[in-house]
Amino acid sequence: PAPAPEPAPAPVAMAPVVLDSDKDGVPDDQDQCPGTPVGVLVDKDGCPADSDKDGVPDYLDKCPGTPIGVSVDKDGCPPPVVEQIKPQAASAVEPAVMEKRRITLNVEFATNKSIIKKNSYKDIDDLAAIMKQYPNARVAIEGHTDNVGSVASNEKLSQSRAEAVKKYIVDKFGIDASRLSAKGYGPGKPIASNATKEGRQKNRRVEAELEYVVKK
């Protein structure tokens, strides 16, 4: 007789598959905030942390630590505070205008010297008077030469002459030295041709750029 068939094996119970689609450590069937970006800290319900309880999760909150109860925008930030500034009466506001003047000083020096000749003080005195009148005034004194001689020697000479004018103003009128600067440009900025005696004379000059505020 044929052998009796063996009984079918008992079915093996399969463990249920637990899905965690957003990889936040909370299974989908318990996750109340599915779709959380990977790496974002979540609570036991799978929802991103919101430390300041403003409704904007920490990973999106650009203003963490907002006091509880303060309304915030989509970035978790309170609205900007707009300060009301009362306009001043027109009479209380004095408009100020910055003015600049360039003055060529009629200052003469002995050849190759930086000692100011006695008959050359008037223009410098007038400049100092303006600085006295406008305490905010600042002056840049510039020394210039013709092109006779080397560039290096002319630059040194023009620097010495500019500094001589500055020293005279500071010493005689007691004006703060920080209000004046002195720079020698040598033959680099001629205002006339160096091919003629007259032109060279014009180029051997001291100029002053005066900057001050005038209230209108």
Side-chain angles (χ1 to χ4, degrees):
E6 295 182 2
V12 178
M14 300 293 291
V17 178
V18 178
L19 295 177
D20 179 12
S21 304
D22 54 9
K23 313 297 183 187
D24 62 358
V26 179
D28 289 356
D29 60 346
Q30 299 176 28
D31 198 333
Q32 296 183 19
C33 297
T36 304
V38 176
V40 172
L41 181 67
V42 298
D43 59 17
K44 62 182 179 60
D45 297 320
C47 293
D50 179 13
S51 303
D52 55 8
K53 312 299 182 186
D54 62 358
V56 179
D58 289 354
Y59 79 98
L60 295 175
D61 199 332
K62 295 181 180 179
C63 298
T66 304
I68 294 176
V70 174
S71 61
V72 298
D73 59 17
K74 62 182 179 61
D75 296 319
C77 295
V81 177
V82 178
E83 183 179 357
Q84 296 291 335
I85 301 177
K86 294 182 179 180
Q88 291 181 303
S91 59
V93 180
E94 295 185 19
V97 178
M98 177 69 74
E99 288 193 0
K100 285 188 178 183
R101 292 172 58 189
R102 178 168 286 276
I103 305 169
T104 299
L105 304 176
N106 184 23
V107 183
E108 295 182 357
F109 299 88
T111 303
N112 292 325
K113 301 292 183 181
S114 58
I115 299 173
I116 304 170
K117 289 187 175 182
K118 290 183 178 180
N119 61 349
S120 299
Y121 291 134
K122 183 181 183 304
D123 283 3
I124 307 176
D125 291 349
D126 291 344
L127 174 61
I130 295 174
M131 296 190 73
K132 286 281 192 178
Q133 182 181 357
Y134 297 100
N136 56 52
R138 294 184 176 275
V139 171
I141 299 170
E142 304 172 357
H144 303 275
T145 67
D146 58 27
N147 67 347
V148 178
S150 70
V151 172
S153 63
N154 277 322
E155 287 180 347
K156 183 177 180 181
L157 179 61
S158 63
Q159 180 69 36
S160 295
R161 289 176 171 176
E163 289 177 354
V165 173
K166 174 182 175 179
K167 185 176 186 302
Y168 172 78
I169 293 175
V170 170
D171 291 350
K172 180 175 180 180
F173 296 94
I175 291 176
D176 192 328
S178 65
R179 296 174 59 195
L180 299 104
S181 63
K183 183 173 178 59
Y185 291 92
K189 294 186 176 184
I191 58 172
S193 172
N194 279 306
T196 66
K197 180 180 178 180
E198 293 77 12
R200 290 191 294 274
Q201 176 64 44
K202 289 181 179 179
N203 290 334
R204 295 192 296 268
R205 70 199 191 278
V206 174
E207 293 186 355
E209 184 172 82
L210 179 66
E211 184 177 284
Y212 56 101
V213 174
V214 178
K215 292 184 177 181
K216 298 295 186 181

